[in-house]
Amino acid sequence: MNQHNVSALPPVVDQQTWQTALDDLRTREKAATRELDAIAAQRRRLPMVELPDYTLIGPDGPTRLVDVFDGRSQLIVYNHMWSDGAEWQCGGCTSLTSQWTRLGILDNYDARFVIVTNGPIEEALAYKAKVGNEMDWYSSSESSFGADVGAPPGAGFAVNVFLRDGDTVYRTWHTTGRGTEQLSYTFALVDILPWGRQEQWQDSPEGWPKSPTYSKWLDSPDVARLYGPNPDSQ
């Protein structure tokens, strides 16, 4: 457990002063909520682009992208960074995907969530088990799917959303970088803490604990140790 100087504390005030400061912050929080609602409304009005009939590789072999929907109309794909043959894959991707464990809620929204990586399916499934992921994984190693949706081999990660109309699949939304933070509960939890993320780039009061960016994130071995099938052996 990290120990910090006791000077890294907010000022102590009376109840009314605290409530006034909280009310002032709440005004901004509510404005941000309304802005997020407006952004979501704009997202629902985005146009879409028709996709080719891609074939991915699943646990049971080649699978058409339209069949990855498993009968649902909507599909969220996390494109996981991948380095063929590596013992540990991207720590950020591994840490982020470890949060998504109860995806059955999407059934009520006619939607499904899967991981797609450019790596060989055998390696992908072994890694899925190693780090304790529970969602379904697919490989785009034998198609241009990853490159075409902003996650080419040897490059970055992405989130893509698709809509199915019969046997035709459309791409409706995409994000990468810090845009994926909205899908993470860990940042939301840490951001309400008095010290926040404690990363060097953040605007914090003088004396607040600071650490190099990413240094407090779980790395891939940490995820396997905490959530993998044999945590004691990691």
Side-chain angles (χ1 to χ4, degrees):
M1 181 179 296
N2 294 327
Q3 299 295 323
H4 296 289
N5 192 304
V6 292
S7 65
L9 298 173
V12 178
V13 297
D14 61 81
Q15 172 71 23
Q16 184 55 53
T17 302
W18 175 81
Q19 187 65 55
T20 299
L22 180 62
D23 291 345
D24 183 56
L25 175 63
R26 184 76 76 245
T27 298
R28 297 188 65 183
E29 290 176 338
K30 286 185 176 295
T33 298
R34 288 190 290 271
E35 177 62 13
L36 289 173
D37 286 343
I39 290 170
Q42 183 176 350
R43 186 182 297 117
R44 290 191 294 273
R45 289 166 172 79
L46 280 174
M48 59 187 184
V49 60
E50 183 176 346
L51 296 184
D53 186 15
Y54 291 106
T55 296
L56 305 180
I57 311 299
D60 299 319
T63 304
R64 295 173 65 202
L65 177 60
V66 67
D67 293 327
V68 175
F69 284 73
D70 196 24
R72 298 165 181 83
S73 299
Q74 302 168 103
L75 178 70
I76 302 170
V77 169
Y78 184 85
N79 297 94
H80 199 297
M81 287 182 68
W82 195 266
S83 297
D84 289 355
E87 178 182 7
W88 298 107
Q89 301 297 332
C90 169
C93 290
T94 305
S95 180
L96 183 61
T97 59
S98 71
Q99 300 174 44
W100 300 320
T101 59
R102 296 179 177 178
L103 296 166
I105 188 175
L106 293 176
D107 291 344
N108 288 341
Y109 296 89
D110 193 18
R112 188 185 187 204
F113 177 100
V114 301
I115 301 291
V116 175
T117 181
N118 292 305
I121 188 61
E122 296 81 7
E123 289 187 20
L125 294 178
Y127 191 71
K128 167 193 170 180
K130 184 176 184 177
V131 299
N133 272 186
E134 298 182 5
M135 73 290 288
D136 292 318
W137 280 53
Y138 294 84
S139 168
S140 56
S141 60
E142 298 182 20
S143 79
S144 63
F145 175 77
D148 293 345
V149 297
F157 59 95
V159 174
N160 282 280
V161 181
F162 306 96
L163 182 66
R164 179 180 67 86
D165 182 18
D167 282 345
T168 304
V169 175
Y170 301 90
R171 187 185 186 199
T172 66
W173 187 74
H174 164 267
T175 194
T176 189
R178 293 194 65 196
T180 62
E181 285 187 10
Q182 62 188 292
L183 306 179
S184 164
Y185 72 79
T186 57
F187 290 127
L189 290 176
V190 173
D191 281 343
I192 65 173
L193 296 173
W195 290 335
R197 302 186 196 183
Q198 304 173 39
E199 297 193 355
Q200 291 175 333
W201 62 271
Q202 291 195 295
D203 180 3
S204 297
E206 185 69 27
W208 252 228
K210 294 277 191 175
S211 302
T213 302
Y214 311 128
S215 64
K216 292 187 178 296
W217 294 23
L218 291 180
D219 201 356
S220 302
D222 302 315
V223 173
R225 174 177 53 83
L226 291 170
Y227 308 119
N230 300 299
D232 294 336
S233 66
Q234 300 295 330

